[in-house]
């Protein structure tokens, strides 16, 4: 069935001597509404047919409660997205009814964080925005709605987080999560390990190149920075002298890592033989210079090596019967493959006709 709602009102009067010393408060048990009857003795409500309404009259003193913010109370560093605990003190002879907690980013306008009932003196809060002029305000209310407030003594800072990381064979400083005060700057130093260099640096996921330092200016949001490193490399040139060729590496110059042993091999041409390896430029360490296949290691920059060959040689013996060999002057004599060698002889006198 339909129920009719009727506007209702009533007034409460008090002795003047009572009002001079106490504050009467009407508490509507249906709506949870409080009204100061000293300032407004008439109370209005909506009455529904068949419903019983109950009210409570609270009589208390005119003394405001005491309240004081203790944290953050000025000078503290908070971080966006990180929970902190706001604390304060409050008291009242008639008891604390409720307390409203607010924050301000500019010290002028305040936003409600939440309300606690009774003698509670802390509240968790996770700041969502940064500020260099933030403050907290707590409004304490006693059982008869006397109010008092406290504001942070001075501004505190709400900063942002920069998260840094470094790959193997290098470092970044500072490392990890760093809280940067609002609108301030933060610099990073990137250092590769010995014989390594910076491969790339990512700032907020985008490459800024192989830099060794980066500065975030006027920080007003969260950021990230990460660095990766790679080993130093050099150019190794491998060549062959006359009479042979290089079989490893397949091309020259070739890029090699610092300290890595690189295989080098040479093959002589027909009728030639391998002699040795020599360093023609830079600094290189050859494991066995006399072996046609060996390894070479670079540790001080680019370098070049060469394979050396020599033509095959033989022993030529020249003899004379009833005469003397005049060319070559000695026997046996070494002669190169395929090279004509002059020989001459002279007969003995008694054998000449």
């Amino acid at each position: 069935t339909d129920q009719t709602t009727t506007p209702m009102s009533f007034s409460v009067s008090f002795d003047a001597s009572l009002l001079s010393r106490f504050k009467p408060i009407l508490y509507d048990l249906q709506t949870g509404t409080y009204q100061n009857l000293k300032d407004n003795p008439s109370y209005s409500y909506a009455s529904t047919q068949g419903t019983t309404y109950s009210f409570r009259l609270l009589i208390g003193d005119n003394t405001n409660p005491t309240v004081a913010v203790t944290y953050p109370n000025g000078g503290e560093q908070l971080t966006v997205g990180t929970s902190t605990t706001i604390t304060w003190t409050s008291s009242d002879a008639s008891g604390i009814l409720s307390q409203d907690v607010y924050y301000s980013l500019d010290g002028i306008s305040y936003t409600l964080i939440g309300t606690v009932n009774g003698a509670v003196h802390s509240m968790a809060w996770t700041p969502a925005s940064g500020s260099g002029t933030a403050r907290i305000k707590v409004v304490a209310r006693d059982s008869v709605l006397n109010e008092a407030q406290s504001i942070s003594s001075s501004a505190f800072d709400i900063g942002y987080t920069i998260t840094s990381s470094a790959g193997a064979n290098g470092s970044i400083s500072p490392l990890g999560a760093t809280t940067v005060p609002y609108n301030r700057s933060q610099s990073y130093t990137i250092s590769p390990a010995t014989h390594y260099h910076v491969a790339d640096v990512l700032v907020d996921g985008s490459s800024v190149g192989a830099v060794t330092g980066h500065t975030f200016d006027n920080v007003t949001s969260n950021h990230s920075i990460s660095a990766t490193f790679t080993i130093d490399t050099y150019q190794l040139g491998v060549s062959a002298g006359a009479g042979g060729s290089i079989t490893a590496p397949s091309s020259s110059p070739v890029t090699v890592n610092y300290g890595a042993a690189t295989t080098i091999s040479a093959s002589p041409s027909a009728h030639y033989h391998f002699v040795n390896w020599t360093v023609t430029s830079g600094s290189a360490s050859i494991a066995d210079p006399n072996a046609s296949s060996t390894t070479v290691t670079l540790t001080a920059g680019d370098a070049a090596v060469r394979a050396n060959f020599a033509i095959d040689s033989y022993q030529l013996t020249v003899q004379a019967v009833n005469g003397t060999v005049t060319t070559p002057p000695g026997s046996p004599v070494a002669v190169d493959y395929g090279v004509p060698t002059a020989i001459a002889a002279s007969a003995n006198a008694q054998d000449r006709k």
Side-chain angles (χ1 to χ4, degrees):
T1 58
D2 293 336
Q3 293 183 321
T4 302
T5 300
T6 304
M8 301 291 290
S9 64
F10 61 84
S11 297
V12 182
S13 59
F14 298 91
D15 183 86
S17 63
L18 176 66
L19 294 179
S20 65
R21 292 177 292 123
F22 297 98
K23 178 189 290 186
I25 299 295
L26 181 70
Y27 177 46
D28 187 332
L29 295 176
Q30 284 67 236
T31 63
T33 302
Y34 291 86
Q35 180 169 309
N36 182 352
L37 296 178
K38 180 178 180 180
D39 297 332
N40 185 6
S42 179
Y43 183 75
S44 299
Y45 64 99
S47 174
T48 301
Q49 182 179 357
T51 301
T52 300
Y53 290 86
S54 299
F55 303 89
R56 181 174 296 168
L57 183 62
L58 306 175
I59 303 295
D61 58 39
N62 287 313
T63 304
N64 292 333
T66 60
V67 59
V69 174
T70 56
Y71 182 89
N73 197 32
E76 297 88 350
Q77 180 64 64
L78 276 61
T79 306
V80 170
T82 300
S83 178
T84 190
T85 301
I86 301 168
T87 61
W88 65 92
T89 60
S90 62
S91 63
D92 186 84
S94 63
I96 296 296
L97 176 66
S98 63
Q99 297 166 103
D100 300 328
V101 183
Y102 300 83
Y103 75 91
S104 173
L105 298 179
D106 57 10
I108 300 173
S109 59
Y110 285 83
T111 301
L112 179 68
I113 300 173
T115 299
V116 293
N117 296 321
V120 178
H121 299 113
S122 66
M123 177 179 289
W125 175 49
T126 301
S129 300
S131 170
T133 56
R135 292 177 187 259
I136 291 295
K137 177 173 71 174
V138 178
V139 178
R141 188 175 300 104
D142 67 13
S143 60
V144 289
L145 304 188
N146 293 311
E147 290 186 355
Q149 70 176 27
S150 174
I151 297 175
S152 301
S153 297
S154 59
F156 59 88
D157 191 270
I158 307 173
Y160 289 90
T161 300
I162 299 178
T163 303
S164 66
S165 61
N169 302 305
S171 63
I172 187 169
S173 179
L175 176 66
T178 299
T179 296
V180 182
Y182 180 79
N183 209 33
R184 302 286 184 85
S185 299
Q186 177 65 51
S187 296
Y188 285 83
T189 300
I190 301 161
S191 304
T194 304
H195 305 304
Y196 284 78
H197 59 277
V198 178
D200 196 14
V201 175
L202 301 181
V203 172
D204 296 333
S206 298
S207 174
V208 294
V211 298
T212 56
H214 184 79
T215 298
F216 293 90
D217 293 316
N218 308 116
V219 176
T220 55
S221 62
N222 293 330
H223 293 283
S224 66
I225 180 171
S226 62
T228 53
F229 306 89
T230 189
I231 196 167
D232 291 343
T233 59
Y234 306 115
Q235 293 297 301
L236 171 64
V238 184
S239 62
S245 61
I246 301 300
T247 56
S250 59
S251 63
S252 177
V254 62
T255 300
V256 298
N257 291 340
Y258 165 87
T262 301
T263 298
I264 52 175
S265 299
S267 177
S269 302
H271 308 300
Y272 281 79
H273 60 274
F274 175 82
V275 177
N276 63 6
W277 293 95
T278 54
V279 178
T280 58
S281 67
S283 176
S285 176
I286 302 173
D288 185 356
N290 297 315
S292 62
S293 182
T294 184
T295 60
V296 60
T297 303
L298 305 189
T299 59
D302 297 343
V305 297
R306 181 179 63 202
N308 301 301
F309 305 90
I311 196 168
D312 292 343
S313 62
Y314 307 99
Q315 293 295 309
L316 172 63
T317 300
V318 183
Q319 297 176 330
V321 178
N322 298 321
T324 303
V325 175
T326 57
T327 302
S331 180
V333 63
V335 296
D336 290 340
Y337 167 84
V339 177
T341 302
I343 55 175
S346 175
N348 295 330
Q350 64 270 24
D351 293 326
R352 293 174 186 166
K353 296 182 177 181

